[in-house]
Amino acid sequence: MRSGERAPRASARAKQAKPHLTQPVFPPSALDFAIQSLGFTPDPPQARLLAENPLRCILNCSRQWGKSTVSAVKALHHALTNPESFTAIISPSARQSAELVRKIERLLRKLSIKPRGDGGNEISILLPNQSRIVGLPGKDSTIRGFSSVSLLIVDEAARVPDELYLAVRPMLAAAGNPQLWLISTPSGRSGFFYETYTSPDPAWTRISVPATECRRISPKFLAEERASMSAGFFSQEYLCEFIESEDTLFTTDTLQEVLIPIPGILLGPGKPILHVPLIKDIHARMQLMAMLHQIPQPRAGVYYYIGVDLGQKHDYTAICIIERSLVITGPRDAATFEYPLEKRYIVRYLERLPLDTPYPEIVRHISAITRHPDLCGSANLIIDSTGVGQPVVDLFKAERLITRLVPVTLTAGHHATRHGDAWNIPRNDILLGLEIGLRNNQLRIADTLKDAPCLIEELRNLRRRDEQISPLRGAHHDDLVFATALAYWRATLHDKGT
């Protein structure tokens, strides 16, 4: 050592002498990883899935087949062989996502790797190679913001709402060659899982494994299960068949029939919408609006009913406009010289306002719709005032509407009551009326509406239990259903002269 030079510290010398630690090397094949590293011997369908390792995979499998195990093996292998990668697991609930992540943690311990969280997400694993595995709950509002996902596994996909699935797909956009696996037992003939599995898209690898092909499920057990449940439920849960739920209010075929190729009402800017002086008489107010905007006279027999289901933080404010018209259905009567007429009801407009929209802004937006020239001033506005009370109704009254305002409070009772223009109506009666209208071909939905698929999905989620109609448990929204039900209720009630 030269004069004046300081000796290196002991800790620095020890660091230099410490050998460089390398990450363990795992087989590039997920199948070899399962057998060699984890000691897991997969069934032939599981082996095929792990060996092929498709970019787009949809696995339609029986209960107790082992879909969680094969998902955990796939997720762990992907994370270990792709440093700094991000694997996301989506399930209908946080509990289900956490269960799959715990299964991955148990596999990690077999590799002598101690699981630890990533420090930012409650259900997560951070691996030594800086890869992350994060379990996400089935809520649209809590999963937005995640990106660069290289593997997305949707567990129990048939029970994940379409909205959530559409919200998570953009997570794959920034990752190179990302993988998407949908894994589930069937749940009815609707939703993205059913539609993807039955579509002809060649990009997807489709694997179906009924319980009869699973060596861990004995014929004796299947015989006992078959005897203890309905044939449809057994076929769905164990034979991987897509069966309509027995308590479903509308079948897939029924909902396809209610859509008709007709344009919606385009409530564009058009002519300017002005506030008019406060005139108590609604007819005088409409005459003034007609003069200011040159609104054409309403077509004979054509009326509009605007149903509104109010929401704010957790539910959307949904708007539905039903057009009621009289249609000539045959030749003129030889005796009376009158044409036979039939009433038709068509959903011509649907809209959901963004969450957290303040009530004053909601009121202004809806009030502007009622004054729009395209509606010809011939509309009724039906507001679900349940929960929001009189203050929001007063905001609507302050807007000087040119249409009739009908506040409705939905109840759990059995009889409807009326106080002036305000109504208290049993919730079940509103939905029952909607069911009758759709089943009797009276009510139809314009298939060109942007939110028509959302309304159809909400209708699919309606169930009948003990003579009560209610949305499927876990369904995220029913706002458009109730907005439509309110509009249709008022339209048919109006025709009765009430």
Side-chain angles (χ1 to χ4, degrees):
M1 182 181 296
R2 290 179 296 182
S3 177
E5 253 186 358
R6 299 178 60 183
R9 294 180 179 176
S11 60
R13 289 196 303 268
K15 185 176 181 180
Q16 292 172 357
K18 187 176 180 179
H20 179 65
L21 295 178
T22 59
Q23 297 291 340
V25 177
F26 297 100
S29 164
L31 176 59
D32 293 339
F33 170 74
I35 298 172
Q36 299 172 16
S37 302
L38 299 176
F40 169 62
T41 303
D43 288 344
Q46 292 173 330
R48 174 197 164 190
L49 181 60
L50 294 173
E52 291 185 3
N53 194 29
L55 287 180
R56 295 289 180 271
C57 171
I58 180 164
L59 173 61
N60 177 23
C61 57
S62 159
R63 295 280 299 274
Q64 303 303 315
W65 174 74
K67 62 181 182 297
S68 296
T69 300
V70 77
S71 299
V73 171
K74 166 60 186 173
L76 181 56
H77 177 261
H78 178 84
L80 289 172
T81 56
N82 293 274
E84 301 183 10
S85 62
F86 182 14
T87 296
I89 296 170
I90 308 293
S91 299
S93 68
R95 181 189 60 80
Q96 289 168 294
S97 296
E99 185 62 31
L100 186 50
V101 171
R102 279 194 289 270
K103 186 159 288 193
I104 296 172
E105 290 176 345
R106 289 194 288 271
L107 296 179
L108 264 178
R109 292 189 177 94
K110 289 187 175 183
L111 303 175
S112 300
I113 299 176
K114 184 179 180 181
R116 63 189 182 100
D118 68 355
N121 297 282
E122 183 177 353
I123 308 171
S124 63
I125 297 173
L126 178 64
L127 298 178
N129 66 354
Q130 299 304 301
S131 289
R132 291 190 300 151
I133 301 173
V134 178
L136 300 174
K139 292 183 179 179
D140 184 358
S141 58
T142 59
I143 63 176
R144 292 181 182 270
F146 290 94
S147 62
S148 299
V149 173
S150 57
L151 171 62
L152 176 60
I153 295 177
V154 185
D155 190 28
E156 293 293 352
R159 291 159 181 81
V160 170
D162 285 8
E163 286 180 84
L164 179 61
Y165 176 64
L166 295 176
V168 300
R169 279 190 63 106
M171 294 179 181
L172 301 168
N177 223 19
Q179 291 183 276
L180 172 58
W181 285 24
L182 309 180
I183 300 176
S184 186
T185 302
S187 180
R189 298 178 60 201
S190 64
F192 71 91
F193 185 78
Y194 167 75
E195 291 165 1
T196 303
Y197 190 83
T198 56
S199 76
D201 187 351
W204 289 88
T205 295
R206 296 167 178 81
I207 298 176
S208 180
V209 191
T212 52
E213 297 179 11
C214 180
R215 64 189 181 191
R216 290 179 301 281
I217 302 178
S218 69
K220 179 182 177 182
F221 174 80
L222 288 179
E224 292 173 350
E225 290 293 279
R226 190 189 294 272
S228 65
M229 60 185 65
S230 68
F233 193 79
F234 180 84
S235 295
Q236 175 175 274
E237 296 296 305
Y238 290 105
L239 302 183
C240 303
E241 296 178 8
F242 291 93
I243 306 293
E244 295 282 6
S245 175
E246 295 176 359
D247 59 356
T248 297
L249 199 64
F250 300 108
T251 66
T252 301
D253 294 337
T254 299
L255 292 176
Q256 286 302 314
E257 292 175 0
V258 305
L259 294 169
I260 59 173
I262 187 173
I265 301 173
L266 299 178
L267 297 180
K271 300 168 185 176
I273 299 172
L274 304 176
H275 286 278
V276 298
L278 179 59
I279 301 175
K280 291 185 178 180
D281 182 64
I282 189 170
H283 298 290
R285 207 181 309 167
M286 289 176 64
Q287 289 177 358
L288 180 57
M289 285 290 292
M291 181 182 68
L292 289 174
H293 302 303
Q294 298 180 349
I295 296 176
Q297 291 298 317
R299 289 179 291 150
V302 177
Y303 295 93
Y304 296 97
Y305 299 87
I306 309 170
V308 177
D309 183 49
L310 290 171
Q312 197 173 51
K313 287 192 174 297
H314 303 293
D315 296 308
Y316 295 101
T317 288
I319 306 167
C320 170
I321 300 180
I322 289 179
E323 178 188 80
R324 177 266 203 191
S325 60
L326 295 176
V327 179
I328 297 175
T329 58
R332 189 194 298 261
D333 186 272
T336 64
F337 295 98
E338 294 181 351
Y339 288 101
L341 300 175
E342 181 181 296
K343 294 168 186 172
R344 297 276 176 86
Y345 305 89
I346 302 176
V347 175
R348 297 287 303 276
Y349 182 88
L350 292 170
E351 182 182 9
R352 295 194 303 183
L353 302 184
L355 297 177
D356 295 320
T357 302
Y359 281 126
E361 187 175 331
I362 291 172
V363 170
R364 286 192 295 271
H365 179 76
I366 295 171
S367 299
I369 288 177
T370 67
R371 294 192 296 270
H372 201 282
D374 291 352
L375 298 183
C376 304
S378 57
N380 272 226
L381 175 61
I382 307 93
I383 301 289
D384 177 11
S385 58
T386 310
V388 301
Q390 191 62 36
V392 175
V393 174
D394 290 340
L395 288 176
F396 276 104
K397 291 180 178 179
E399 285 291 314
R400 306 173 186 175
L401 301 173
I402 64 167
T403 188
R404 190 173 195 174
L405 175 64
V406 184
V408 172
T409 300
L410 300 180
T411 70
H414 301 285
H415 303 286
T417 59
R418 180 180 179 182
H419 307 281
D421 280 338
W423 288 78
N424 294 327
I425 307 174
R427 179 188 180 97
N428 200 58
D429 287 2
I430 287 281
L431 295 176
L432 182 60
L434 180 64
E435 179 194 9
I436 293 172
L438 291 171
R439 287 192 182 280
N440 292 347
N441 298 328
Q442 276 192 312
L443 179 62
R444 288 292 179 262
I445 302 169
D447 65 357
T448 54
L449 301 178
K450 178 178 67 71
D451 284 321
C454 295
L455 174 57
I456 293 297
E457 183 62 23
E458 291 183 14
L459 289 169
R460 279 196 185 111
N461 287 331
L462 291 179
R463 299 289 186 268
R464 190 197 308 279
R465 295 186 178 93
D466 301 324
E467 300 303 319
Q468 295 294 312
I469 300 172
S470 60
L472 178 67
R473 185 176 181 181
H476 277 209
H477 298 289
D478 54 19
D479 322 292
L480 288 170
V481 160
F482 278 97
T484 305
L486 287 167
Y488 184 66
W489 162 80
R490 183 59 185 173
T492 53
L493 192 69
H494 222 174
D495 286 337
K496 297 174 184 175
T498 304

